[in-house]
Amino acid sequence: MDSAQSSQPEMAKTARVQVAHPMLAMMGMLIGGFVGMFSETSLNIALPQLMAQLNVSTATVQWLVTGYMLMVGVVLPLSSIITKWFTTRQVILFALIDFAVGAIISASAPGFGVLLFGRMIQGIATGLILPLMFTVAMQIFPPYKLGAAMGMVGLVIMFAPAVGPTLAGIVLGVASWRWIFWLFVPFLVIAFLFAVTSLKNIAEVSRPKVDFLSIILSTLGFGSLVLGVSLASDQGWGSATVIGALIVGILILAWYTHRQLTVDKPILNLRAFAIPGFRIGAILVMINFGIILSAMYLLPMYIQKGLLVPVALTGIIMFPGGVMNAIVSAVSGRLYDHVGAQMPARLGFIISMVGALMLAFTSTHSAVWYVIMAHVILMIGAPLAMSPSQTHGLNALTGPIAADGSAIMNTLQQIVGAIATAIATSLLGIGQAAYLANGTTNAAGAFVNGAHYGFYFTFVLALVGFLLALRLPKADR
């Protein structure tokens, strides 16, 4: 044992929960988390093929993305109470089985409705696995190894969505979209075996009182909001159904918020938003997730339906940006340790604006290298701002409320991601309709014009993020 380690307090040398092989204990969750995050972006590249084969519109097919994220966002805030009622092994084993069942249902779906049902089942599993990965890692690794452990978890979360479109594109180049889902199953079986053999229970099952009203309000409120925005793609923003769903969603969420601020043990401790540092950090994270999700939803479809590039090549075109996203995400966290959040957040949003504008100036004849460069620039800017903003927000919380910060951010960024995707879909349809209103029948040109409307939305998000980042303090480490 070296002198540096021996000089540490005894508490720093031991984990809170002793596990013989921590890495083996984590493997089931890491593989499950990888599949969950991979699933969040991999299907984007298959949307044009799904629209053609299932005979559905863009407004309808986007539910495969928003529905998945909505379920993740609904389940995430419930993870804390679920782990108090069921053991760690029970939750993870259920989640892995649930994901496999959802994948099999999606892979064998005869139509769009069954496919969407399978996707939403998968979203439940991801919402359970993601928070437990962090919780278990913090319990079974000693403090002096925790940084490396959390880095490993973070790499899984960053790398999976980065390579999702590329791997899915390769699969679609040689097989049908159904094989994307069949591909999940062997990985989930391996994850299940790891969990059965190595995962230990790390928390006491106390079974506290469950606030069922908050659960109902959360589900109905977020669900109505996402439903309203998504229906606007088909029915227009002036539709009575859309306006009604949005009003109902806002009213229920207002009730939900009031309840979380007044009950003794809220599901999400929204009092954290009273702290300025957390408030601005959380808002910046949500905006950043909206930037990434809206662009990653539009870009694969633009490449296929605007540039008329084959699906397998589409995945390869998106690979450099995906890898850059993972690299910058890893580096930006360390950058915060040296310069704080202000500089990387501001710079990140500026770079994101440049990338979004470059995509907004594409055409049906844009060079592939230009599209790759625009994507890479966007994937430098968004993650550059993400990690420092998140760390700034979480560092502003101390005491018992600190444990709620990550749950709030993870939940709301999934909901915002679903809403941003739905808005991008609506703008895509508006842009296509405006182009076709001139009497032309050029489908590729119409799609590119619609994509421009969506990329302008991405630009506006980056601009709002930059303006908010001006409020970050200079020294906040």
Side-chain angles (χ1 to χ4, degrees):
M1 184 179 295
D2 58 46
S3 58
Q5 187 171 325
S6 62
S7 65
Q8 294 175 334
E10 194 64 31
M11 287 290 289
K13 301 177 187 177
T14 58
R16 296 175 185 173
V17 177
Q18 296 297 311
V19 175
H21 303 287
M23 268 307 304
L24 288 178
M26 288 293 300
M27 283 304 296
M29 286 177 290
L30 291 174
I31 296 172
F34 180 90
V35 172
M37 295 306 294
F38 177 89
S39 179
E40 191 157 288
T41 59
S42 62
L43 206 63
N44 288 352
I45 203 167
L47 295 181
Q49 193 179 103
L50 286 164
M51 282 186 280
Q53 292 190 12
L54 299 178
N55 194 28
V56 293
S57 66
T58 305
T60 301
V61 83
Q62 56 106 8
W63 270 102
L64 297 177
V65 180
T66 56
Y68 179 84
M69 288 189 290
L70 174 61
M71 290 307 301
V72 176
V74 167
V75 173
L76 266 170
L78 306 180
S79 61
S80 177
I81 190 71
I82 288 172
T83 54
K84 291 182 176 70
W85 271 81
F86 303 96
T87 67
T88 309
R89 284 170 57 85
Q90 287 173 335
V91 175
I92 294 301
L93 292 176
F94 168 81
L96 293 172
I97 294 172
D98 172 85
F99 206 120
V101 170
I104 292 170
I105 290 173
S106 296
S108 54
F112 178 80
V114 177
L115 176 58
L116 176 59
F117 178 67
R119 281 288 287 171
M120 296 182 81
I121 289 177
Q122 294 167 49
I124 294 172
T126 303
L128 291 172
I129 293 172
L130 285 183
L132 267 177
M133 279 200 303
F134 290 97
T135 303
V136 173
M138 293 185 71
Q139 296 291 329
I140 68 175
F141 285 95
Y144 70 92
K145 290 185 177 179
L146 196 53
M150 297 302 280
M152 172 187 62
V153 173
L155 182 61
V156 166
I157 291 176
M158 292 182 296
F159 189 63
V163 300
T166 302
L167 294 180
I170 294 172
V171 171
L172 291 170
V174 298
S176 80
W177 57 267
R178 298 180 186 276
W179 280 97
I180 295 178
F181 297 105
W182 287 124
L183 186 66
F184 296 157
V185 177
F187 288 98
L188 293 166
V189 171
I190 294 170
F192 185 83
L193 293 175
F194 271 114
V196 167
T197 57
S198 303
L199 181 60
K200 306 298 180 185
N201 296 320
I202 58 96
E204 182 182 347
V205 178
S206 56
R207 298 193 174 178
K209 182 181 178 182
V210 179
D211 183 6
F212 287 106
L213 179 57
S214 288
I215 295 174
I216 294 170
L217 292 176
S218 171
T219 304
L220 292 179
F222 288 128
S224 296
L225 202 61
V226 173
L227 176 65
V229 176
S230 299
L231 288 177
S233 309
D234 250 345
Q235 303 182 17
W237 290 95
S239 161
T241 305
V242 171
I243 294 173
L246 291 176
I247 291 175
V248 169
I250 291 170
L251 290 176
I252 293 177
L253 287 176
W255 185 5
Y256 172 76
T257 301
H258 178 265
R259 185 166 181 82
Q260 301 316 294
L261 294 174
T262 54
V263 297
D264 292 334
K265 293 182 179 180
I267 289 179
L268 276 184
N269 194 346
L270 299 180
R271 295 182 184 91
F273 279 104
I275 301 168
F278 176 79
R279 183 168 62 245
I280 188 170
I283 293 173
L284 289 176
V285 166
M286 288 185 278
I287 290 173
N288 215 309
F289 207 67
I291 291 170
I292 294 173
L293 266 294
S294 61
M296 290 308 94
Y297 171 73
L298 293 166
L299 186 57
M301 290 197 292
Y302 157 71
I303 295 172
Q304 292 176 71
K305 301 188 76 171
L307 294 182
L308 305 180
V309 170
V311 64
L313 185 56
T314 300
I316 295 171
I317 290 172
M318 295 192 67
F319 185 67
V323 172
M324 186 59 67
N325 182 3
I327 293 172
V328 177
S329 295
V331 173
S332 63
R334 297 182 181 181
L335 188 63
Y336 172 85
D337 294 332
H338 298 286
V339 298
Q342 186 194 77
M343 185 275 287
R346 293 179 182 180
L347 184 60
F349 284 116
I350 290 173
I351 295 172
S352 296
M353 283 191 278
V354 173
L357 274 183
M358 289 179 68
L359 289 172
F361 284 111
T362 53
S363 70
T364 54
H365 305 292
S366 292
V368 169
W369 67 263
Y370 176 86
V371 176
I372 293 174
M373 182 179 295
H375 183 208
V376 166
I377 289 173
L378 187 65
M379 289 298 100
I380 292 173
L384 182 61
M386 175 69 87
S387 184
S389 299
Q390 186 175 40
T391 307
H392 171 79
L394 294 177
N395 278 353
L397 303 178
T398 57
I401 200 172
D404 297 295
S406 180
I408 293 171
M409 282 193 184
N410 284 328
T411 300
L412 295 183
Q413 75 179 19
Q414 293 292 331
I415 298 298
V416 168
I419 292 173
T421 301
I423 292 175
T425 304
S426 177
L427 292 172
L428 175 65
I430 292 171
Q432 286 177 290
Y435 188 90
L436 294 172
N438 296 325
T440 181
T441 57
N442 183 354
F447 196 91
V448 170
N449 192 63
H452 289 169
Y453 279 47
F455 289 131
Y456 287 137
F457 169 63
T458 305
F459 171 81
V460 170
L461 286 175
L463 175 61
V464 172
F466 171 73
L467 295 175
L468 284 174
L470 295 176
R471 300 179 59 187
L472 287 169
K474 187 172 184 180
D476 64 317
R477 285 166 290 163

